[in-house]
Every structure is written in C-alpha cells, then in structure tokens.
C-alpha cells in the first residue's frame, strides 16, 4: 500500500478526527542517547550518570502525504513536540516481527475543559535530562529515568503514552504547557516485550511486561525498581497478554501461548511450575492457593490465549483464544460461565461496552462479532475488514442509545462501527426466536485440578456457532487506510485515538470538537 493514499483525517457524524502526531517507536526510544564513552554497554554506565536528550531537527509540519517527518506529543487534545529525523526509514527486523502495542492513560483527573488548546507545534527544545542506572542483571542493561519524573507523576494534567520497542519499554509524558518527554525507559539485553499493562495512582504506577521467552517482569518507573517474577522457573511458553486484576495493585492475569492463564502476585518472588495436563478449562482451587507464584493456574485451552479483558463490574473476565472461542469466566468464583464459538478461525481480541451489555471480538475470520452478555447470544457480525482483525475498542464517549466502537487489522484499515437496531441488516431467515437465544446449548463439566477437589465442579454453557444466514450483519460507518503496514493496536480516551502498526509507527488522532463536521 502506498503511503500517498493514506488519510490525514477521517469523518464521523460528530466531526472530523485529525492526525496530530506521528512518530516511530525507534525515534522515541532514542530520545535519550548516552554519551559516556566509546562503549554503551551496561558495564560502562555508572549510577546516576547524566544523559542529555538528542537535539531535535527543525520542526516540520505534518503533511497529508506524511512526507515531512514529524513527532508531536498529545495530551487531552493539546499538541506539542518537535520533529525527528528519518520518519520514513524502515524499522529493524526485530520490530517488524514483534507488533508494537501502544497504550494511553491518565492517572489523575482530566485536564479542565477550559484549558486552552494549542494548534501549533511548540518549537522549544527538550529540556529534560535522564539518569541512567547501571544494572548488573543479565536481563536488564540499564534503567533510564527523567530527572523530573516525580513532578510529572503528581501533576494531574499529565497523560502517558506507553509502548514497546526492540529491546526496550518506553513511557512518554505529555502536558498542555510542555512538549512530550520520555519519562522512563527500561532497556533489555536481548528480549523485547510482547505485551504489557499498567495501573496508575497519584504518586506512582506499576507496569507488568511479558516476553516471548516466557519472562514476566514487574517494573515501577518512578523508583526504577523491577523484578523478574519467574526467573529460571523452567516454565517458559511465550507470554501473549497480561492484565492487572480489578481493585488490586499486586495481582495480575497472564495469558500464555500454551493456553494457560495464570494469576500472579508481584510481591511473590518464588515461582513453582504448575503440574497440569488437562486439555480443557480447569481451575486451581482458591482455598489451596500456595504462597508462591502462580497464585492461581487455569488450563483454559490447548491453543494460545490472545486477549484478556475484565468486565466493568470487575466480576467477570472475557478471554479469547486461538481455538476460536470467547470464554466468559467469573474470576472471583473461578467458574466458567459461557463459551462462544467464532464463525471460523481463532479470535484475537475483545472489548466490553461500558454498561457491560456487549462484548465485541475480532478474529481471523476477518469479522468483528458483537455478543450480548445478558441475552447470551451473538447479536451481529461486522463485515468490512479484508484481513485478520487485531484490535477492537469501544468509544465510551459515544456509547448511549448507539454504541460506537473501533477496529484495526492486518489490512491496515481503521473501521468505525455504530451498533444500534437501525444499523443492523437482518438476514432473510432471521427470526425473533433465533435472535433471542442460541440454537444449541450443551452443559460441559470442568474437571477438578487434583485430589484436593472443591467438591462440585463448576459448569459452563457452550453456545454453538450460529449459521451465517441467521445473524444480523453490521456494516462499518467509516473505513480508512491510516497506515501502510498491518495495524496491531489501538487505544482511545476522552480526547484522543492512538494507533500503532507492525513497522513501529504510532499515530495520534484528535477527537473532533462538537459541531465540527466538515463534508468531504
């Protein structure tokens, strides 16, 4: 796909979403460049060594064709930044083989609505310095921390963009009156993060990272502390997805490539390899949880786990797998509730609506599928992607009578969907009876883990695959080519949409102002 056909904006009924930032993860990761001698290895760096940011090239505006390299950092619709060189160069092979995942969050209160919105790029040079901490670990080479990180953390105006890059993990901070700065970076010796999740507070935030060789690392950027939670454990399938548990700052859930799901505690250092060979969903009894990691171990599938998302009420978790199923689990009771089958192929991602009525999944059938959590059935299948769907996210700002969600995929397309009764195209054989419930439900029991059984095993309802002509069809509201390589991640907030592709390019889109629609 030629970059000349990529869009710099797209229109929805609420107005025009505008591209305000584009940068590569390689450029952002190199904002702090150590100048401490001819060698840059971990053994050549001393504790607290000062690192100056790389000087930027003269600012250049973003063009519709993206010929002008530029990096802008965005927070709450506010724009700042300086351009960086070599925007069009190809990323290293390591990045091409490991998708870039981007996440955006705000740890404190949002920026006040009366905050002035800047519509020009700040031309000030980066003013932050980094402190490099030498690591004696064979896994982490150095920890780079912005000397003003504590000030950024406690400021309620700060918004963060986090992303993985080859052999490092990066935290970028943005504020209305300051250009974006790299706040923290964790450099690894050989491993590159494949997934991560973050929880934030008023004075700190915790990150958990997963790696392709099975390593699980907890990292706290403010203190610069980190810990490998399963070092030399002997259990090393690739970590595919991680998610912090609701209402906890110590427990998180991990999805593995062998189909297992683990609940881990970041405060426990010892890891004992679980002994479990079952091929279908089983749970470790809560009353027999050990004092070591994993706190709990679930054998969910014999195929890789692809996504984990907790429900808004924090009681349930939606888990997708390469085996083509969406599982709804009551994680508090550790019982399987429902199992839904894809049209065909594996499922790759999922998201809950903010009122918990719907779960949307994307998969290798090129479809986005909407499931009703309360009615326990498939509501619609969205047709529009030309390849595998890699990411879905609800836009909670636009979720009311109509539910708005976004999806991205290997076709490099961003699709916008509106879910409402008016938007559904009923198939010819569609009947009220079919829409109300699945055609087939079967009870399946779950084996207990060991002789220490909890007595009566939990049960789950398997909902059989619905025929194509029995499910309503949903068409996309917007379909735009926004990257020139497969998309792998998106994140949406009150003001911004962030997308990332396999080449390591991150783009930030600003939400339209009310009544700002511009006809094409």
């Amino acid at each position: 796909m030629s970059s000349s056909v990529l869009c710099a904006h797209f229109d929805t009924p609420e107005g025009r979403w505008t591209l305000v930032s584009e940068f590569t993860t390689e450029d952002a990761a190199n904002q702090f460049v150590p100048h401490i001698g001819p060698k840059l290895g971990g053994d050549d760096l001393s504790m607290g060594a000062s690192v100056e940011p790389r000087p930027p090239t003269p600012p250049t505006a973003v063009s519709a064709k993206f010929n002008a390299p530029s990096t802008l950092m965005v927070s709450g619709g506010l724009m700042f930044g300086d351009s960086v060189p070599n925007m069009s160069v190809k990323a290293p092979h390591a990045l091409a083989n490991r998708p870039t995942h981007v996440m955006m969050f705000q740890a404190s209160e949002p920026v006040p609505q009366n905050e002035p919105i800047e519509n020009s790029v700040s031309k000030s040079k980066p003013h932050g310095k980094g402190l490099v901490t030498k690591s004696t670990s064979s896994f982490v080479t150095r920890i780079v921390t912005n000397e003003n990180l504590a000030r950024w953390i406690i400021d309620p105006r700060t918004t963060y963009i986090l992303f993985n890059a080859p052999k490092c993990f990066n935290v970028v901070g943005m504020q209305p009156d300051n250009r974006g700065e790299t706040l923290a970076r964790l450099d690894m010796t050989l491993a590159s993060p494949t997934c991560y999740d973050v929880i934030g507070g008023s004075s700190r935030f915790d990150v958990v990272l997963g790696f392709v060789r099975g390593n699980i690392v907890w990292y706290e950027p403010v203190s610069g502390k980190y810990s490998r939670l399963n070092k030399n454990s002997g259990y090393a399938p690739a970590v595919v997805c991680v998610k912090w548990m609701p209402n906890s700052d110590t427990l998180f859930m991990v999805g593995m490539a062998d189909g297992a799901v683990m609940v881990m505690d970041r405060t426990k250092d010892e890891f004992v390899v679980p002994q479990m060979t079952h091929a279908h969903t089983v749970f470790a009894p809560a009353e027999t949880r050990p004092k070591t990691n994993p706190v709990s171990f679930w054998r969910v599938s014999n195929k890789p786990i692809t996504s984990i998302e907790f429900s808004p009420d924090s009681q349930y978790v939606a888990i997708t797998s390469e085996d083509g199923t969406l599982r709804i689990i009551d994680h508090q009771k550790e019982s399987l509730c429902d199992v839904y089958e894809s049209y065909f192929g594996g499922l790759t991602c999922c998201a809950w609506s903010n009122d918990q009525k719907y779960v949307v999944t994307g998969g290798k059938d090129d479809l986005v599928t909407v499931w009703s959590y309360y009615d326990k059935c498939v509501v619609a299948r969205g047709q529009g992607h030309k390849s595998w769907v890699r990411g879905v996210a609800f836009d909670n700002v636009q979720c009311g009578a109509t539910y708005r969600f976004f999806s991205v995929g290997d076709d490099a397309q961003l699709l916008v969907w509106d879910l409402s009764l008016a938007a559904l195209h009923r198939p010819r054989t569609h009947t009220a009876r079919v829409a109300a419930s699945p055609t087939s439900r079967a009870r399946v029991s779950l084996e207990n883990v060991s002789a220490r059984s909890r007595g009566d095993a939990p049960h789950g309802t398997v909902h059989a695959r619905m025929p194509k002509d029995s499910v309503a069809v949903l068409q996309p509201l917007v379909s735009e080519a926004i990257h020139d390589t497969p998309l792998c991640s998106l994140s949406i907030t009150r003001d911004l949409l962030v997308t990332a592709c396999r080449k390591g390019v991150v783009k930030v889109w600003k939400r339209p102002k009310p009544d700002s629609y511009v006809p094409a």
Side-chain angles (χ1 to χ4, degrees):
M1 183 182 297
S2 174
S3 60
S4 62
V5 301
L6 301 180
C7 69
H9 59 77
F10 60 90
D11 296 323
T12 62
E14 297 75 33
R16 174 162 290 177
W17 291 74
T18 307
L19 179 69
V20 293
S21 171
E22 179 182 1
F23 63 94
T24 68
T25 55
E26 182 183 15
D27 293 325
N30 290 332
Q31 180 181 357
F32 292 109
V33 181
H35 298 287
I36 312 180
K39 295 182 180 180
L40 299 180
D43 294 337
D44 299 304
L45 302 178
S46 60
M47 181 74 71
S50 178
V51 180
E52 294 285 351
R54 173 183 291 174
T57 58
T60 309
V62 178
S63 68
K65 296 182 179 180
F66 308 120
N67 293 325
S70 180
T71 293
L72 313 176
M73 299 300 181
V74 185
S75 171
L78 308 178
M79 201 185 333
F80 11 68
D82 293 288
S83 59
V84 293
N86 302 326
M87 177 59 66
S88 59
V89 300
K90 294 183 178 180
H93 291 297
L95 186 59
N97 294 331
R98 291 184 174 88
T100 299
H101 296 282
V102 62
M103 179 180 294
M104 180 170 48
F105 80 101
Q106 195 163 25
S108 302
E109 294 298 321
V111 178
Q113 291 298 320
N114 58 359
E115 191 77 43
I117 295 180
E118 301 292 340
N119 289 314
S120 61
V121 179
S122 169
K123 297 184 180 181
S124 61
K125 293 184 178 181
H127 57 272
K129 293 183 179 180
L131 298 178
V132 175
T133 302
K134 182 179 68 173
S135 174
T136 58
S137 168
S138 61
F139 190 80
V140 173
T141 58
R142 54 180 173 254
I143 305 166
V144 183
T145 305
N146 190 305
E147 65 178 3
N148 296 317
L149 177 57
R151 177 182 62 80
W152 283 79
I153 292 294
I154 64 176
D155 195 324
R157 301 173 301 163
T158 302
T159 296
Y160 307 92
I161 290 183
L162 300 87
F163 57 87
N164 57 325
K167 296 192 290 185
C168 69
F169 175 77
N170 304 269
V171 180
V172 174
M174 294 80 64
Q175 291 178 354
D177 57 352
N178 198 322
R179 69 175 298 275
E181 291 185 19
T182 296
L183 301 183
R185 192 179 80 224
L186 189 68
D187 292 348
M188 270 67 71
T189 306
L190 295 172
S192 294
T194 55
C195 56
Y196 61 89
D197 195 27
V198 60
I199 52 173
S202 59
S203 60
R204 58 173 286 162
F205 54 91
D206 296 88
V207 181
V208 59
L209 303 101
F211 295 81
V212 71
R213 294 184 180 180
N215 296 288
I216 300 171
V217 174
W218 163 80
Y219 170 49
E220 205 287 293
V222 179
S223 64
K225 295 180 179 179
Y226 72 93
S227 175
R228 290 173 65 187
L229 301 179
N230 59 342
K231 182 178 180 180
N232 301 324
S233 67
Y235 176 67
V239 181
V240 184
C241 49
V242 293
K243 205 74 175 178
W244 284 100
M245 302 281 286
N247 308 315
S248 175
D249 60 358
T250 61
L251 298 177
F252 59 92
M253 193 172 287
V254 185
M256 310 296 287
D258 65 351
V261 172
M262 299 187 297
V263 178
M264 301 276 289
D265 189 332
R266 67 171 179 84
T267 64
K268 299 181 186 296
D269 295 328
E270 186 178 356
F271 187 96
V272 177
V273 179
Q275 300 297 324
M276 190 177 295
T277 59
H278 303 289
H280 58 274
T281 310
V282 290
F283 301 98
E287 60 270 21
T288 62
R289 285 177 177 170
K291 296 181 179 180
T292 59
N293 275 320
V295 172
S296 187
F297 185 87
W298 307 348
R299 176 62 66 186
V300 174
S301 173
N302 57 3
K303 296 288 185 68
I305 303 300
T306 54
S307 69
I308 297 172
E309 293 293 338
F310 289 96
S311 63
D313 69 358
S314 302
Q315 183 173 354
Y316 301 93
V317 60
I319 297 178
T320 59
S321 171
E322 286 279 3
D323 65 7
T325 61
L326 164 68
R327 291 173 171 87
I328 305 296
I329 296 174
D330 185 332
H331 70 89
Q332 295 180 355
K333 297 179 180 179
E334 291 196 322
S335 63
L336 179 65
C337 301
D338 296 281
V339 180
Y340 301 94
E341 297 181 350
S342 67
Y343 183 62
F344 70 85
L347 292 177
T348 58
C349 52
C350 65
W352 291 83
S353 63
N354 60 349
D355 59 4
Q356 203 167 305
K357 289 183 178 179
Y358 300 103
V359 179
V360 172
T361 61
K364 295 184 176 181
D365 50 11
D366 303 350
L367 301 173
V368 293
T369 305
V370 183
W371 314 85
S372 172
Y373 168 71
Y374 293 110
D375 293 335
K376 300 184 181 299
C377 66
V378 58
V379 174
R381 293 189 178 115
Q383 300 178 354
H385 280 288
K386 301 178 180 64
S387 189
W388 295 353
V389 182
R390 293 296 185 178
V392 291
F394 274 95
D395 181 2
N396 292 329
V397 174
Q398 295 295 331
C399 282
T402 299
Y403 294 80
R404 170 74 52 80
F405 61 93
F406 293 71
S407 63
V408 295
D410 284 354
D411 55 4
Q413 299 274 333
L414 170 72
L415 270 60
V416 183
W417 310 81
D418 273 357
L419 175 65
S420 65
L421 291 178
L424 298 179
H425 298 274
R426 291 174 177 267
R428 289 188 297 271
T429 60
H430 184 87
T431 65
R433 180 186 61 82
V434 171
S437 61
T439 56
S440 174
R441 294 184 179 180
R443 304 294 291 180
V444 293
S445 62
L446 305 174
E447 298 181 56
N448 27 32
V449 176
S450 64
R452 298 174 297 179
S453 170
R454 62 174 70 180
D456 51 342
H459 292 73
T461 302
V462 176
H463 304 264
R465 181 183 297 107
M466 295 289 289
K468 184 176 182 180
D469 58 359
S470 298
V471 179
V473 177
L474 190 64
Q475 298 294 335
L477 183 70
V478 175
S479 178
E480 292 286 356
I482 61 171
H483 286 248
D484 59 2
T485 54
L487 283 156
C488 51
S489 179
L490 79 162
S491 180
I492 187 168
T493 67
R494 176 176 56 87
D495 300 302
L496 304 170
L497 168 70
V498 180
T499 58
C501 70
R502 282 189 174 272
K503 195 168 65 175
V505 176
V506 177
K507 295 186 179 183
V508 182
W509 309 79
K510 185 170 68 175
R511 186 185 295 275
K513 300 177 184 178
D515 304 322
S516 64
Y517 177 71
V518 179

